[in-house]
Amino acid sequence: MLQPHCQSDQHQFSRRRWLGTAATGTAAAALPLFDPAVHATLLQRSAKQVLFIWLDGGISQLESWDPKPNTEFGGPFRAISTSVPGIHLSELLPQTAQQMQHLAIVRSLCTQDNAHSSGVDRIQRGDPQDRGVVYPYFGSAVTKLLGPNASGLPPYVWIKPLSGGFMHKDAGFLGPQYGSLAFGDGKPPQNLLQHADVSDRFLQERMDIRAFADRQYARGRPAASTAANGFVYSMGLELMQRRQLFDESTFSSADVQRYGTHDLGRHMLLARRMLEAGVQFVKVNSYGWDTHGDNFNGSLSLVRRFDQPFAALISDLAASGLLDQVLVIAMSEFGRTPRVNGHLGRDHWPEAWSLCMAGAGVRRGIAVGSTSDQGTWVTSEPYDIGHMFHTWFTALGINSREVAWDNHGQPLPIAHEHCHPVAELLV
Amino acid sequence: MHGIHHSQAELRALAKIPTSCQLSLLRYSLDGSLLLAAGRDGRIHRWRLPSAGLPVPAADVKSADASVSEVLPPLAGHNGWVSSLEISPDGLWLISADTWGRLACWSLTPTVERPQWEHAEAHAGWLRALAMTPDGSCLASCGADGMVRLWNPADGSLLRQFSGGGQDLYSVACHPDGQRLAVGDLRGGIHVFDLRAGKHLTTWDAAEFYKLSYIQEVGGVRWLAWNGDGSVLAAAGCIPENGGFVQGVPSLRLINAADGAVLQQLKLGDNQEGFVHQVLWHPEDYWMGVCSGQPGRGRFFLHRTAGEAPFCLNPQPLANCHSAALHPLGRQVAVLANEGTYGQQKSMAKEGIYPANTSPIHVFELPAPGPVS
Amino acid sequence: MFRLQHHSAPCFARPLRLLRVVLLLLFVWFRPIVIVTADDLAQRIDSLLQQSLAVAHVAPGPVSSDAEFCRRVTLDLAGRIPTVAELSKFLSDPDPQRRVVLVDRLLDSPEHSRRMADLFHVMLMERRGDLPEWTLFLRTSFAQQKPWDQLVREILDPQEAPEQIRGAAWFITRRLEKVGQQETDYPGLTRDIGRLFLGCDLQCAQCHDHLTISDYRQIEFQGLYTVYRNTSIRTDVKFPAVAEKPLTKKTDFMSVFDKQPLLVGPRVPFGVEQEIPQFESGQEFAVAPDRAKNFPGVPKFRGLQLIAQSLPAATNRRFAENLANRLWFVMFGSGLVNPLDQLHDDNPATHPELLSAVGDAVTAAGFRLRPVLREMALSDAYQRSSCGAAAEAVLYQYGREKRLSAEQLLASVLTACGAGAPTAIADAASEAEQKRADAFVKAFGNIPGEPELEFSPSLKAALFVLNDPLMQEQIQPRGGNLAERLAISSDDTAVADELYRAVLSRVPEAEEVRFVCEYLAQRREIRQQAISNLIWGLLASTEFCLNH
């Protein structure tokens, strides 16, 4: 809602204002005490997890989930049948086609923003109504709403190419501690590896001495500070002790072959291990999907390299039973135009595009929604990203219409109030 | 613009033939009376033209007359995109291929409606390129399945097949001596085979034409062409900087066939431009090529081996150029360039408005032979 | 904005008692409002807080022990924990005035100026990086005991000369730097001027009157913005410097809600709008621009000069109260107004008279910080122990835990683990020292733009302490450092004593001595590593990383 004289590029309230003076860093509000009684309660909490695969740039729905072979804009590729009769995918997803019985495809997405710079943010924040607050990304929102699980691991992990570190931006008004811990190229954050001079025994002794000192200090004081500090040290130790999780040399060669040795393959395999270890929300980023030029050769390369690890991962999660508690989402910020441009590319297309989901709370082996013969518009009920947020929260056991953020006493919807959960996607 | 400078030689625009869809490849028939185009609508488009070439308008006439071309009914039967066209040396047969892997052979009689022979799955998936030996006895095909297959053009029987080195194969060109075959792959490998024996002779590495950008393998040797006596092999592609959009410098590599030494790596633009899509040899001792570019910067160029830069360029701005075909008399050339809208305007498809791009054909008169600077 | 009333007792002899009653009534009716000078601020603080505790029916908590006090005040005023020698000397000092003496010694030390420079660097730049010229400006300013209003003036209207102060321009130029393809953030700069020097976050008043704060009107923002949108970074010099275009017309603005067009010229928030003098074309510059040299010229009428003259003035109550509130926060761990940049009528101070008193003292001291900090440190309230506080304790009943900055943590680690002398303060850090300082900021500092207010333990910091080589090397024995001294000694009880004095700045309890002795007794063959483990455990404890 930019007005001619209002040149603010971010019309945002200070989140400290909105969340009150008992503000974002305060330990007690954000982090649990780590004592046995509380621990037991945590074990009873939701064990739901999320795997969020972000294909940055816009995967072409016509070269993946919603193929239209031999039509004006259908492109050079064929469609293939899948393990679910009646549902076809692009020939570029041969292995995923064999996992169709676990998947739910949505073909009727119709969203507002066709620009990357704003679109990525809007989609990942659920494109809420503009109230002048910065909504959290889906991962930050989920980890806040579900609360910590019993794993002791960081709740929101982001596996991505290039750099890693502690990413606060995602968290919006929830505060920096709800940001993600990014594993750049799958590598753990700085200082994760135990110092060479410190043996496991000494590490434990040091932690014991630290804990003794904290018990002494906490006598006669409120527990908030020692609890918060103890929590991050425990989490640090937990991460250090689980470092084989992200030590690529411990991946089985069979797995490495199945997932692929390329970046996305390795990262998806790491994601599986994180999920198995109990990380609550794992986001995997793949970049380079913005095929404005050479879209078809590009898709040959890109989609195949998504297909291989995605299919392997779905298959593995299903086999282990984890798929019942992990919600899997694979998507971009928009789709690509049916019209082929002069560079033999496709451009941005939020009007009619697709995503794929699977797992906790989601019906299996379905394709929801349809597009016109040429793929130019949605012919069934169009869904905005708000509908998806409602659906995903519901699948995770969160009532998306009743649960709200507490905005300094004013409730804020967790998903766009003009949207609703999509019943046909939910069990 | 990198590597291009102004010169005396000039191309003259003769005609612009509109098309109904995007096209990927142009071919003249042997006698020049037919112009054929591989359509992205799965059909082979055809125009009948005067065999001697289009009439050249008077010097002061600006606009060209396209009415001399007659549109013939397109040939149907392919799926996806028609990806390649080849004409037998005796001028009687047209071989076509598509992105679903079909290979078909058609009589070049204008009234034909069905192929003489065809294979629905000559390759598993995208059949990218075709090349015929000069004596017409053997047709080579290559594709995304990484295979090279040799066919008898007379009846379509498979003569031989072999792996092209394990990568997606983008281009194939038969040496004028009819003995050797060059095959170009995704990673910049140019593999030379003994055609008759099916034996791998050597590989020249044009790794500049390839980059791994995140998980995308970008590039490929998009076109191969031998010069008249087979002493030089031209390889066309792009020096990629990024995948996705594909940012890269269109480039032409000229290789000494005797020892594989690189005679020249010509850059034809800056890194926003894309690919050299096709390159052809002109008997008057120069190369012709087409490349894509940012809006209005597509190029059709003429270049002598080891010349500092192309000595001639398209006279007016063109959008992305994807193919060129030389008229058999050697005086005219037909060039495909894109036309239409780019970008992501909101769909008015529900109102019936969602135009596709097309590939109008620009016919140029080539500069006269003789010394040029 | 404060009233002055005097009472003089009339000299009647006879109905004296009646008069006294009358006077008492008058006294109660017209409560005296006393001007607080810096000298009696401590008493004023204590009497006002005493009153508020009485109203809440609670008694103040106990006074801090000498060890507690020594650690707290050394951290607050010198930016580090005390050395073993300093602590021991203080604990064994019989002088009843030893606390006053300590405060004065700390305030006079060069470490105090350094501590102030670090403190205000974090407060004013909020981890947006470092620049040598800016560092020099802050350090020399505090070394010279420059009053706050003058310092702010130098920031608001930066000058090229003398060279020592030219770095002040970085406050503005850093905020004018473009980030990627975004436009220059003039609104952000305007906002920070309001926040940091007036305690008013006017961000939400940019587009409309603040929705909930009645005195943050759109005009407060826009009048200030008028000045800053005319500024830019000078490109003709290598040091940070601000260029101004001639300010010739008012800003037009309108609320996004009522769409009524308005105009405003340059104006300090809550102040008076200034008229913009009109010059003939070509006459606007006092020093003409030089295009060849890229010199932007100096206009005759300058918004920056205007703001610098009017904003940091003794008469500007918000300016004084902002400083008062922020100094209070530094010493007491909580602002009298919270958040620190929300001073306004609808967000009253927890103790309005106290804020007023501190504001008075700040003004009376001519904006010199030392006298005010001294008084705060000498108050009973400051010296209250934090031990014994329950979660529901009343404000200021007990002392409060406070976050330590990355700078304080580094200095404290070096002091604790070092050879016993306080770390020397060098003007220019060596490359290794700079790297170390940067690593601590990276581990313990907030992200750029986030004020460092509360204790926020982070996974990043924990991993740093657990595994970073910089921490490991502090606890390896070398060159007479703590690890070496303790490893050499064979008296475990003495080791426990020195360990606690060095790291936690106190004498260990009996239970703690036992713990250390038992631990060491079972590790005779690996004594050196055991010592290192003990040091680490205390360094990583919450007690070490807080000011309490």
Side-chain angles (χ1 to χ4, degrees):
Chain A
M1 45 175 251
L2 282 176
Q3 302 299 321
H5 292 266
C6 171
Q7 263 137 63
S8 163
D9 49 8
Q10 24 165 84
H11 183 94
Q12 66 166 304
F13 289 91
S14 156
R15 62 173 165 274
R16 289 169 298 140
R17 270 278 303 149
W18 286 110
L19 296 180
T21 56
T24 55
T26 306
L31 304 164
L33 299 171
F34 235 65
D35 74 45
V38 177
H39 195 81
T41 321
L42 287 179
L43 287 173
Q44 290 156 26
R45 285 202 201 198
S46 166
K48 294 281 195 298
Q49 295 165 270
V50 179
L51 172 64
F52 190 76
I53 302 163
W54 182 258
L55 305 173
D56 190 83
I59 180 174
S60 169
Q61 71 284 2
L62 293 162
E63 272 70 58
S64 59
W65 311 112
D66 193 13
K68 313 259 179 197
N70 267 347
T71 60
E72 184 179 3
F73 303 114
F77 298 115
R78 298 164 288 187
I80 54 175
S81 56
T82 68
S83 56
V84 175
I87 300 182
H88 292 80
L89 297 179
S90 166
E91 65 170 288
L92 302 180
L93 290 170
Q95 300 187 55
T96 301
Q98 297 313 306
Q99 302 297 324
M100 188 65 225
Q101 73 275 22
H102 299 299
L103 306 174
I105 303 173
V106 180
R107 289 178 169 149
S108 46
L109 289 174
C110 180
T111 53
Q112 310 306 314
D113 202 323
N114 73 353
H116 296 296
S117 48
S118 45
V120 173
D121 246 28
R122 284 173 76 167
I123 294 292
Q124 294 211 39
R125 297 189 202 275
D127 203 10
Q129 286 222 55
D130 183 3
R131 291 185 169 84
V133 292
V134 182
Y135 262 70
Y137 272 33
F138 187 53
S140 301
V142 165
T143 51
K144 170 72 174 172
L145 292 168
L146 289 183
N149 63 16
S151 69
L153 288 167
Y156 179 8
V157 166
W158 184 15
I159 304 170
K160 61 189 285 292
L162 304 176
S163 67
F166 296 82
M167 303 293 190
H168 307 275
K169 186 178 85 98
D170 293 15
F173 62 64
L174 293 178
Q177 75 273 28
Y178 286 97
S180 63
L181 174 55
F183 283 60
D185 194 28
K187 309 267 181 305
Q190 204 179 5
N191 290 327
L192 190 80
L193 294 179
Q194 194 164 321
H195 195 273
D197 294 348
V198 183
S199 64
D200 288 351
R201 171 194 165 188
F202 284 162
L203 180 62
Q204 192 53 54
E205 288 184 10
R206 288 180 176 193
M207 290 290 285
D208 292 340
I209 297 165
R210 203 205 73 80
F212 168 76
D214 268 12
R215 282 196 299 278
Q216 294 293 104
Y217 176 72
R219 287 206 311 236
R221 287 193 165 84
S225 302
T226 46
N229 212 21
F231 184 77
V232 294
Y233 273 94
S234 295
M235 191 185 286
L237 193 65
E238 187 75 39
L239 262 183
M240 285 168 65
Q241 286 172 345
R242 310 267 213 120
R243 63 188 172 277
Q244 311 91 297
L245 262 190
F246 18 83
D247 180 354
E248 290 194 1
S249 66
T250 66
F251 292 5
S252 83
S253 57
D255 275 348
V256 169
Q257 283 313 303
R258 272 194 318 126
Y259 280 70
T261 51
H262 55 285
D263 283 1
L264 188 55
R266 294 185 293 111
H267 296 171
M268 298 273 266
L269 182 51
L270 178 59
R272 191 196 83 198
R273 285 162 66 111
M274 295 276 189
L275 291 167
E276 288 164 351
V279 173
Q280 194 170 58
F281 193 102
V282 180
K283 180 161 87 166
V284 179
N285 260 45
S286 176
Y287 292 99
W289 290 82
D290 191 27
T291 47
H292 285 283
D294 206 27
N295 169 73
F296 304 95
N297 291 314
S299 295
L300 244 184
S301 195
L302 290 162
V303 178
R304 287 229 183 109
R305 286 172 166 201
F306 162 77
D307 174 62
Q308 180 188 3
F310 183 69
L313 197 143
I314 294 289
S315 161
D316 286 351
L317 291 178
S320 68
L322 255 185
L323 196 58
D324 292 336
Q325 77 190 51
V326 177
L327 173 63
V328 180
I329 300 160
M331 67 181 298
S332 295
E333 61 265 44
F334 35 62
R336 306 208 78 83
T337 53
R339 175 186 301 126
V340 177
N341 67 29
H343 297 284
L344 295 186
R346 296 192 195 269
D347 305 308
H348 304 166
W349 195 243
E351 273 92 347
W353 54 292
S354 310
L355 61 73
C356 179
M357 22 193 295
V362 173
R363 277 184 56 207
R364 307 201 178 181
I366 57 170
V368 166
S370 52
T371 50
S372 61
D373 286 347
Q374 293 179 321
T376 42
W377 80 87
V378 172
T379 49
S380 57
E381 182 187 349
Y383 295 130
D384 206 322
I385 188 63
H387 291 93
M388 295 298 108
F389 267 57
H390 274 285
T391 308
W392 298 334
F393 284 133
T394 308
L396 292 171
I398 301 165
N399 186 325
S400 64
R401 313 242 215 158
E402 289 182 7
V403 173
W405 301 117
D406 180 359
N407 176 16
H408 205 53
Q410 181 207 5
L412 278 183
I414 59 175
H416 201 297
E417 60 267 40
H418 295 155
C419 299
H420 56 83
V422 178
E424 3 166 27
L425 284 168
L426 295 163
V427 298
Chain B
M1 271 192 300
H2 188 96
I4 309 275
H5 60 68
H6 188 65
S7 147
Q8 290 170 357
E10 270 183 15
L11 289 162
R12 189 153 170 229
L14 299 180
K16 179 177 162 188
I17 303 171
T19 65
S20 59
C21 67
Q22 285 181 320
L23 308 168
S24 54
L25 200 69
L26 281 176
R27 265 343 234 271
Y28 274 100
S29 62
L30 193 63
D31 65 359
S33 65
L34 273 182
L35 184 58
L36 302 154
R40 298 222 171 91
D41 59 353
R43 302 185 300 176
I44 300 166
H45 295 255
R46 305 181 292 174
W47 292 263
R48 194 204 301 282
L49 301 172
S51 320
L54 289 186
V56 177
D60 56 344
V61 173
K62 282 282 172 71
S63 66
D65 180 11
S67 62
V68 293
S69 67
E70 180 199 339
V71 180
L72 298 176
L75 296 174
H78 276 293
N79 292 299
W81 296 349
V82 180
S83 53
S84 191
L85 297 173
E86 180 68 298
I87 299 199
S88 61
D90 60 14
L92 298 176
W93 302 100
L94 166 70
I95 321 283
S96 63
D98 72 27
T99 59
W100 286 27
R102 177 183 240 97
L103 181 66
C105 174
W106 315 74
S107 159
L108 266 171
T109 315
T111 51
V112 73
E113 281 175 23
R114 277 206 290 276
Q116 185 78 1
W117 57 259
E118 63 181 353
H119 295 297
E121 267 203 65
H123 283 263
W126 201 325
L127 203 176
R128 292 192 183 270
L130 299 169
M132 198 102 123
T133 55
D135 66 4
S137 64
C138 178
L139 169 77
S141 68
C142 72
D145 61 359
M147 295 298 292
V148 179
R149 294 199 165 98
L150 304 177
W151 313 85
N152 181 346
D155 59 7
S157 55
L158 180 67
L159 300 172
R160 171 177 266 114
Q161 65 179 358
F162 46 90
S163 159
Q167 296 300 326
D168 190 339
L169 300 174
Y170 272 76
S171 50
V172 66
C174 191
H175 193 282
D177 69 5
Q179 303 297 319
R180 283 169 284 172
L181 196 68
V183 177
D185 72 20
L186 170 61
R187 295 200 178 167
I190 301 169
H191 312 285
V192 184
F193 293 90
D194 177 324
L195 229 165
R196 307 294 161 186
K199 198 160 119 324
H200 172 249
L201 295 174
T202 189
T203 291
W204 297 323
D205 182 21
E208 291 73 22
F209 284 152
Y210 168 79
K211 182 170 187 170
L212 178 63
S213 174
Y214 293 115
I215 58 170
Q216 184 182 351
E217 299 200 275
V218 194
V221 179
R222 295 300 177 103
W223 200 272
L224 288 169
W226 298 93
N227 67 347
D229 61 11
S231 58
V232 178
L233 178 66
C238 151
I239 303 174
E241 187 176 297
N242 275 322
F245 217 105
V246 182
Q247 281 180 292
V249 179
S251 180
L252 186 67
R253 176 178 263 217
L254 299 172
I255 301 168
N256 183 341
D259 58 4
V262 178
L263 297 168
Q264 191 172 23
Q265 181 100 32
L266 185 68
K267 292 189 182 170
L268 288 143
D270 62 35
N271 84 335
Q272 303 289 327
E273 314 288 17
F275 292 86
V276 174
H277 287 288
Q278 188 175 5
V279 62
L280 312 169
W281 177 251
H282 193 291
E284 280 157 27
D285 212 38
Y286 60 83
W287 302 96
M288 303 182 297
V290 283
C291 49
S292 54
Q294 286 302 304
R297 287 160 61 110
R299 251 162 262 131
F300 170 66
F301 63 88
L302 308 183
H303 177 70
R304 290 185 201 291
T305 305
E308 212 185 281
F311 64 88
C312 192
L313 290 176
N314 45 299
Q316 82 270 33
L318 291 175
N320 292 284
C321 298
H322 286 106
S323 184
L326 179 63
H327 187 277
L329 293 179
R331 298 261 47 76
Q332 293 182 359
V333 63
V335 175
L336 278 182
N338 194 70
E339 188 162 282
T341 58
Y342 170 94
Q344 43 239 23
Q345 291 93 332
K346 195 154 179 63
S347 172
M348 294 175 72
K350 281 188 187 169
E351 292 88 347
I353 303 169
Y354 194 72
N357 286 319
T358 63
S359 301
I361 302 169
H362 301 259
V363 184
F364 296 102
E365 185 191 15
L366 288 165
V372 278
S373 56
Chain C
M1 285 200 294
F2 45 87
R3 292 175 302 137
L4 196 59
Q5 283 189 296
H6 291 285
H7 294 273
S8 50
C11 316
F12 291 124
R14 282 271 294 258
L16 206 55
R17 201 187 290 165
L18 184 59
L19 211 51
R20 281 204 194 109
V21 171
V22 169
L23 284 175
L24 203 59
L25 288 172
L26 283 173
F27 181 89
V28 168
W29 188 256
F30 296 107
R31 259 183 12 208
I33 294 176
V34 176
I35 305 172
V36 179
T37 63
D39 292 339
D40 47 16
L41 180 60
Q43 288 165 346
R44 195 85 182 108
I45 290 171
D46 287 328
S47 78
L48 285 170
L49 287 180
Q50 189 78 340
Q51 282 174 28
S52 79
L53 292 180
V55 161
H57 302 294
V58 295
V63 183
S64 53
S65 67
D66 273 348
E68 259 187 281
F69 177 77
C70 182
R71 182 178 192 269
R72 179 188 300 167
V73 79
T74 310
L75 276 167
D76 278 339
L77 298 182
R80 60 164 173 84
I81 56 173
T83 63
V84 174
E86 288 167 344
L87 176 72
S88 302
K89 182 156 171 250
F90 184 73
L91 293 179
S92 59
D93 188 348
D95 182 357
Q97 292 297 305
R98 58 185 174 278
R99 293 196 178 194
V100 180
V101 170
L102 175 59
V103 168
D104 284 333
R105 179 169 71 71
L106 291 170
L107 285 172
D108 282 335
S109 73
E111 291 177 285
H112 175 67
S113 338
R114 183 60 170 266
R115 155 71 178 152
M116 288 292 111
D118 286 345
L119 173 77
F120 281 94
H121 170 61
V122 177
M123 186 195 302
L124 296 178
M125 292 311 290
E126 293 175 328
R127 298 295 181 201
R128 286 180 174 83
D130 292 278
L131 192 77
E133 289 95 328
W134 167 257
T135 310
L136 180 68
F137 163 70
L138 284 180
R139 287 186 189 171
T140 48
S141 295
F142 286 105
Q144 294 163 1
Q145 297 191 62
K146 188 180 291 176
W148 173 248
D149 61 333
Q150 185 185 339
L151 188 136
V152 172
R153 217 166 287 129
E154 289 170 3
I155 290 175
L156 292 177
D157 187 13
Q159 304 298 316
E160 267 186 63
E163 204 176 307
Q164 279 178 343
I165 65 166
R166 68 163 55 145
W170 198 53
F171 179 90
I172 293 178
T173 61
R174 184 59 160 170
R175 289 165 166 88
L176 290 176
E177 287 173 19
K178 288 199 197 205
V179 176
Q181 291 171 343
Q182 292 174 25
E183 308 218 336
T184 306
D185 192 8
Y186 296 115
L189 170 59
T190 306
R191 176 181 174 235
D192 277 357
I193 303 276
R195 283 179 58 228
L196 298 171
F197 302 122
L198 293 174
C200 304
D201 184 352
L202 297 168
Q203 180 176 237
C204 308
Q206 183 182 349
C207 301
H208 44 70
D209 289 349
H210 203 289
L211 294 181
T212 53
I213 300 172
S214 50
D215 38 326
Y216 289 7
R217 296 172 305 151
Q218 200 175 2
I219 196 173
E220 317 300 351
F221 180 93
Q222 295 289 344
L224 196 58
Y225 178 70
T226 303
V227 170
Y228 292 101
R229 67 177 185 145
N230 262 354
T231 59
S232 60
I233 305 175
R234 271 177 68 181
T235 51
D236 59 319
V237 288
K238 288 203 174 26
F239 51 87
V242 184
E244 276 184 275
K245 292 201 297 256
L247 210 175
T248 51
K249 41 188 195 86
K250 299 191 180 195
T251 303
D252 56 318
F253 64 100
M254 72 164 86
S255 164
V256 296
F257 294 137
D258 64 36
K259 309 274 176 72
Q260 179 98 314
L262 298 162
L263 284 176
V264 69
R267 181 179 177 280
V268 170
F270 318 105
V272 172
E273 180 178 335
Q274 295 296 315
E275 277 308 308
I276 300 175
Q278 295 303 319
F279 297 99
E280 293 203 3
S281 170
Q283 300 296 314
E284 312 93 329
F285 285 93
V287 181
D290 182 345
R291 286 189 123 204
K293 295 199 186 124
N294 239 341
F295 173 64
V298 179
K300 284 179 185 157
F301 175 67
R302 296 191 303 111
L304 291 185
Q305 185 176 43
L306 197 75
I307 301 297
Q309 279 165 354
S310 347
L311 193 155
T315 47
N316 188 346
R317 192 63 191 170
R318 280 181 210 253
F319 178 71
E321 289 192 348
N322 173 61
L323 180 65
N325 194 34
R326 288 179 182 275
L327 291 178
W328 184 271
F329 176 80
V330 169
M331 297 299 276
F332 290 90
S334 166
L336 288 167
V337 177
N338 277 307
L340 301 181
D341 51 14
Q342 296 288 329
L343 265 66
H344 60 82
D345 293 344
D346 295 326
N347 186 28
T350 54
H351 299 71
E353 285 188 59
L354 188 46
L355 178 64
S356 206
V358 182
D360 287 349
V362 153
T363 312
F367 297 102
R368 292 189 150 67
L369 305 186
R370 265 189 219 182
V372 180
L373 292 172
R374 182 179 190 272
E375 285 298 301
M376 288 182 179
L378 296 180
S379 67
D380 291 341
Y382 177 80
Q383 295 179 51
R384 232 151 258 159
S385 175
S386 64
C387 207
E392 331 76 51
V394 169
L395 253 190
Y396 307 117
Q397 185 184 5
Y398 294 89
R400 264 176 92 93
E401 288 175 341
K402 299 187 301 218
R403 175 181 180 150
L404 288 177
S405 67
E407 289 82 357
Q408 284 171 308
L409 284 168
L410 172 58
S412 300
V413 168
L414 295 177
T415 304
C417 300
T423 36
I425 301 208
D427 272 340
S430 71
E431 202 182 305
E433 284 163 356
Q434 189 59 51
K435 256 185 80 178
R436 186 171 58 190
D438 292 343
F440 266 73
V441 170
K442 191 162 167 225
F444 296 104
N446 278 6
I447 53 178
E450 280 283 315
E452 294 181 2
L453 302 171
E454 307 100 358
F455 175 54
S456 310
S458 71
L459 180 57
K460 182 167 52 160
L463 287 174
F464 179 83
V465 176
L466 278 162
N467 295 315
D468 198 281
L470 286 172
M471 291 298 287
Q472 297 308 316
E473 74 192 17
Q474 290 301 315
I475 57 181
Q476 295 310 308
R478 174 183 54 219
N481 69 358
L482 178 69
E484 191 176 86
R485 295 198 305 276
L486 296 182
I488 288 171
S489 163
S490 50
D491 178 349
D492 288 355
T493 308
V495 164
D497 187 68
E498 184 168 358
L499 173 67
Y500 271 74
R501 284 173 188 252
V503 184
L504 297 183
S505 305
R506 62 175 172 85
V507 173
E509 316 245 321
E511 194 183 339
E512 291 163 339
V513 176
R514 260 200 313 278
F515 179 90
V516 172
C517 289
E518 265 171 37
Y519 182 76
L520 288 176
Q522 292 159 6
R523 288 162 184 80
R524 296 254 167 259
E525 338 68 56
I526 46 165
R527 188 176 178 73
Q528 182 234 298
Q529 288 97 311
I531 297 273
S532 296
N533 292 346
L534 283 168
I535 301 175
W536 187 91
L538 295 192
L539 285 176
S541 72
T542 308
E543 184 173 347
F544 181 79
C545 70
L546 283 177
N547 192 349
H548 47 80

